[in-house]
Amino acid sequence: MEPPAMVSSCSLRPALGLSSLSSTPLIPFKYHRCRRLLSFPLIDAWPVSRRRGGSFVTLVTKAAAEVFDGRPSPSGGAGGRGGGRRVLKQSQTQMTTPSFPLKELASSVVPAGAFLAATFVLWKVVEKLLMPKPKGSTSTVNKSSLPGIKWFFSPGTNLQSGPSLKIERESRQKLNEFAKELRTFRNVDMSGRNFGDDGLFFLAESLGYNQAAEEVDFSGNGITAAGLKALDGVLQTNTVLKTLNLSGNNFGDEGAKCLSDILMVNAGIQKLQLNSTGLGDEGAKFIADMLKKNSTLRVLELNNNMIDFSGFASLAGGLLENKAIRSIHLNGNYGGALGAASLAKGIEGNKSLRELHLHGNNIGNEGIRALISGLSAHKGKITLLDIGNNEIGPKGAFHVAEYIKKTKSLLWLNLYMNDIGDEGAERIADALKENRTITTIDLGGNNIHARGVSAITKVLKDNSVLTTLELSYNPIGPDGAKDICEVLKFHGKIETLKLGWCQIGPKGAEYVADCLKYNTTLTTLDLRANGLGDDGAVCLARSLKIVNEALTSIDLGFNEIRDKGAFALAQALKANEDLAVASLNLASNFLTKYGQVALTEARDHVFEMSEKEINIYF
């Protein structure tokens, strides 16, 4: 073998990864100290090699072949010898660089002119490889065959190290941490990690063998129907897991079928959350088939899907045969009047159901009539009924009122964002006179005025069961506030009163302030967005100076309160040592730093004097 010589051209063979074997020792790049020029050995005669297991493995970069003519080698194979030489000859022809036979180069001294020309060309090649490509360039000279991989001349350095590898490494590390949590903690939150189907397959084994995790949240992770197959065999054997949240994964009807087949024989899951998963009528049918056989599921959430009346009918059939379900959530679907009527048939024959959530299904007056008929004939005990945002008017309120009179189990009733008006409010008020079970009622956003509120507040004189009254988003005005406050001074057991966006103004704040001087039951007061201003805040501050050991939370957000009102409230906090307020919300008002400082100092003063903590929100 001939010794290396200074050359005017070189051939870099295109190869990706490991290629041809050689027993020739490694000849590294040299730096010529006299001329300060890079010189190379003949690569064809002395390949860059690395000893591995008794043999030498050639490490040659593919990028070298791409540099000369700006496109990959036509051979396409790793370690292709012919392709590299062919590209080299083409590039030399284009650049008019003199070409010499290899044997002559190895045995003769290169003329000075040719040597300088070859060195110039070689330097340009190295410059293109080592210098970063300018922004906006469309050239493919420096592109590698694999994204995230940087290529170097030194042997053993052609390893993946770009952003893609970093992301993959971090993802695997996170998944390993999740797998550890599944074996360690009772509640594991993996929501919003976007680990996809591959991640679920990775975690399935840990979930299958875990004896610790009782609640697992896989919501918002890009899981599809294919990924849910990872749970097959896992949920059948796992009896520790009680709550599984798969919301926000768009696996659709196909995923619902896969999951239903798995859960038919599951004996552990008690709460299943499938909100916003793209389920339609077919998916609801698969879920219904599962309900007919599953005997452990207690809570089923199917909110914000695309279930129409046909899907509601299927679920009704499942409820007829199921004897374990306690709560079903169908908020934000498309049941309509027909869906409500179909569901009513299933509810009528089901004894286990306790909670029914149908918020936002466009049921209407006819739908509510059919639903109430089924609820009235229900053989079990419904404790919670959510029929908010369903276009229920005064006629629908009549049917609801009839149910309120008859029920002996209902504790929580939500009629939020319907349109029952004053007429509907009066009918609800008459029904509450006879009801002794409902503790929470939400009538917010129902176009109720002072007349309707007056009818409701009169009931509070005799009703000692109702503790939470929500009337927000109703234009009751200061007159409505006066009616409520006159009753609550000495009557009723209301603990939470919500009057946000009720247009009560500073005058209404005066009535509220007067009520607070005498009331001993109110703990939470919401007065947001009522245009109270500084005058309203000052009125409330005067009442807070008087002994009040019940009120713990006041919400005065969006009320155009300025520093004057803030100073008054700060003085009230300092003056009343027995004040029970622990939370004061003044967000979205017009306070400057002076008002904020005054309130902050008042908070610190209260803590120093009595060690009571007050949370103030600006």
Side-chain angles (χ1 to χ4, degrees):
M1 182 175 293
E2 296 176 356
M6 302 299 292
V7 297
S8 60
S9 62
C10 64
S11 173
L12 299 179
R13 292 173 297 174
L16 177 62
L18 303 177
S19 59
S20 59
L21 299 175
S22 171
S23 60
T24 308
L26 171 64
I27 306 298
F29 298 151
K30 298 181 179 178
Y31 187 85
H32 199 286
R33 300 194 178 190
C34 297
R35 303 191 184 200
R36 302 187 63 82
L37 296 173
L38 290 174
S39 56
F40 287 80
L42 291 175
I43 296 181
D44 278 353
W46 285 272
V48 179
S49 307
R50 176 180 176 184
R51 189 169 184 86
R52 193 175 198 180
S55 62
F56 289 88
V57 182
T58 303
L59 296 174
V60 187
T61 64
K62 181 176 181 180
E66 298 173 345
V67 168
F68 288 93
D69 64 346
R71 59 181 181 273
S73 170
S75 62
R81 299 173 62 90
R85 289 173 180 153
R86 185 159 53 251
V87 171
L88 175 61
K89 290 177 183 179
Q90 293 172 357
S91 65
Q92 290 174 338
T93 302
Q94 294 171 359
M95 293 182 287
T96 66
T97 304
S99 176
F100 301 97
L102 295 179
K103 291 184 178 180
E104 293 179 15
L105 289 174
S107 61
S108 62
V109 178
V110 180
F115 177 77
L116 291 174
T119 305
F120 177 77
V121 173
L122 183 59
W123 175 251
K124 288 297 183 182
V125 170
V126 174
E127 184 182 31
K128 288 183 178 180
L129 286 173
L130 299 182
M131 295 297 290
K133 188 171 69 173
K135 293 183 179 180
S137 174
T138 58
S139 173
T140 59
V141 171
N142 288 330
K143 284 187 179 180
S144 64
S145 58
L146 293 176
I149 297 181
K150 298 179 180 179
W151 296 99
F152 301 93
F153 285 110
S154 304
T157 59
N158 293 333
L159 302 177
Q160 188 175 357
S161 60
S164 60
L165 178 62
K166 182 180 179 181
I167 293 173
E168 181 180 355
R169 184 166 59 248
E170 291 177 352
S171 297
R172 289 186 177 276
Q173 182 179 355
K174 285 291 184 184
L175 288 174
N176 281 317
E177 292 175 1
F178 291 155
K180 184 178 179 180
E181 288 183 7
L182 282 172
R183 299 187 181 98
T184 308
F185 300 107
R186 292 181 60 186
N187 300 330
V188 182
D189 184 2
M190 302 181 191
S191 60
R193 308 291 180 171
N194 201 32
F195 53 67
D197 294 340
D198 293 338
L200 185 58
F201 273 98
F202 182 87
L203 295 169
E205 182 178 356
S206 298
L207 187 61
Y209 290 102
N210 101 85
Q211 294 298 319
E214 295 183 3
E215 298 182 14
V216 175
D217 189 345
F218 284 152
S219 61
N221 275 295
I223 300 170
T224 68
L228 291 180
K229 294 178 181 178
L231 300 177
D232 191 13
V234 172
L235 297 183
Q236 289 94 328
T237 58
N238 186 315
T239 58
V240 177
L241 187 63
K242 298 294 186 287
T243 300
L244 177 61
N245 189 353
L246 292 169
S247 300
N249 294 294
N250 191 27
F251 47 72
D253 294 341
E254 184 181 353
K257 182 180 186 308
C258 177
L259 194 60
S260 297
D261 291 341
I262 295 172
L263 292 178
M264 279 187 182
V265 293
N266 175 267
I269 301 293
Q270 296 182 6
K271 183 176 182 179
L272 179 64
Q273 296 169 278
L274 302 178
N275 306 315
S276 303
T277 52
L279 300 186
D281 290 341
E282 284 296 313
K285 182 179 181 301
F286 296 132
I287 297 294
D289 292 338
M290 179 268 293
L291 288 176
K292 293 176 182 179
K293 297 183 179 180
N294 184 286
S295 59
T296 59
L297 192 64
R298 299 290 186 272
V299 179
L300 175 62
E301 295 185 9
L302 299 173
N303 299 325
N304 301 320
N305 283 294
M306 298 178 289
I307 305 174
D308 211 322
F309 70 90
S310 177
F312 273 62
S314 298
L315 291 170
L319 289 176
L320 282 173
E321 299 186 32
N322 184 280
K323 298 180 180 179
I325 197 76
R326 294 287 188 274
S327 175
I328 185 166
H329 298 244
L330 290 166
N331 298 333
N333 281 282
Y334 301 89
L338 292 176
S342 298
L343 195 63
K345 297 294 183 182
I347 294 172
E348 185 176 341
N350 182 287
K351 295 182 180 180
S352 63
L353 193 65
R354 297 290 181 269
E355 298 181 6
L356 180 61
H357 300 260
L358 291 174
H359 194 102
N361 270 279
N362 195 27
I363 292 174
N365 292 329
E366 284 302 312
I368 201 64
R369 181 189 61 79
L371 181 65
I372 292 299
S373 176
L375 289 172
S376 298
H378 178 59
K379 299 177 181 178
K381 295 181 178 180
I382 296 292
T383 59
L384 184 152
L385 178 61
D386 183 355
I387 47 177
N389 194 19
N390 270 299
E391 298 187 5
I392 300 171
K395 292 183 179 180
F398 170 79
H399 300 294
V400 175
E402 291 300 308
Y403 179 64
I404 291 175
K405 293 177 182 178
K406 296 178 181 178
T407 180
K408 303 297 182 183
S409 60
L410 191 65
L411 303 175
W412 194 91
L413 175 63
N414 183 12
L415 280 166
Y416 181 76
M417 284 298 170
N418 283 291
D419 192 20
I420 66 173
D422 291 336
E423 182 182 350
E426 289 173 343
R427 289 180 174 178
I428 297 295
D430 289 339
L432 288 174
K433 292 178 181 178
E434 302 180 30
N435 181 279
R436 289 296 180 269
T437 61
I438 294 177
T439 61
T440 300
I441 187 166
D442 188 342
L443 298 174
N446 269 284
N447 196 29
I448 300 173
H449 298 76
R451 169 189 155 195
V453 167
S454 178
I456 292 173
T457 53
K458 288 178 182 178
V459 177
L460 300 179
K461 292 182 179 180
D462 301 321
N463 189 317
S464 60
V465 178
L466 193 65
T467 58
T468 299
L469 178 61
E470 165 72 91
L471 290 170
S472 298
Y473 299 99
N474 286 301
I476 66 173
D479 292 338
K482 180 181 180 181
D483 289 338
I484 294 174
C485 293
E486 287 297 322
V487 172
L488 293 183
K489 274 185 181 180
F490 307 106
H491 303 283
K493 300 293 182 180
I494 297 295
E495 297 174 3
T496 300
L497 178 63
K498 295 187 178 183
L499 299 176
W501 288 270
C502 282
Q503 305 175 16
I504 68 173
K507 191 64 177 178
E510 291 183 19
Y511 297 128
V512 174
D514 186 48
C515 173
L516 292 178
K517 295 176 183 178
Y518 306 97
N519 182 277
T520 59
T521 62
L522 200 61
T523 61
T524 301
L525 178 62
D526 182 357
L527 295 175
R528 285 176 294 171
N530 274 291
L532 303 185
D534 286 338
D535 292 341
V538 170
C539 288
L540 292 171
R542 292 196 191 106
S543 292
L544 293 177
K545 288 183 180 180
I546 300 174
V547 176
N548 187 311
E549 299 179 357
L551 191 63
T552 59
S553 176
I554 307 175
D555 195 337
L556 299 176
F558 301 95
N559 267 298
E560 304 175 14
I561 299 172
R562 302 178 186 272
D563 288 344
K564 179 182 177 182
F567 294 150
L569 291 169
Q571 289 300 318
L573 295 178
K574 289 181 180 180
N576 189 350
E577 295 181 358
D578 297 322
L579 188 67
V581 173
S583 176
L584 174 61
N585 182 23
L586 288 166
S588 300
N589 281 291
F590 300 145
L591 307 184
T592 68
K593 63 180 181 180
Y594 300 107
Q596 294 180 7
V597 168
L599 287 164
T600 302
E601 290 179 349
R603 178 197 64 189
D604 296 340
H605 174 78
V606 171
F607 183 77
E608 290 177 3
M609 298 300 293
S610 60
E611 294 187 354
K612 293 179 181 179
E613 293 187 1
I614 302 177
N615 295 316
I616 302 178
Y617 306 95
F618 300 116

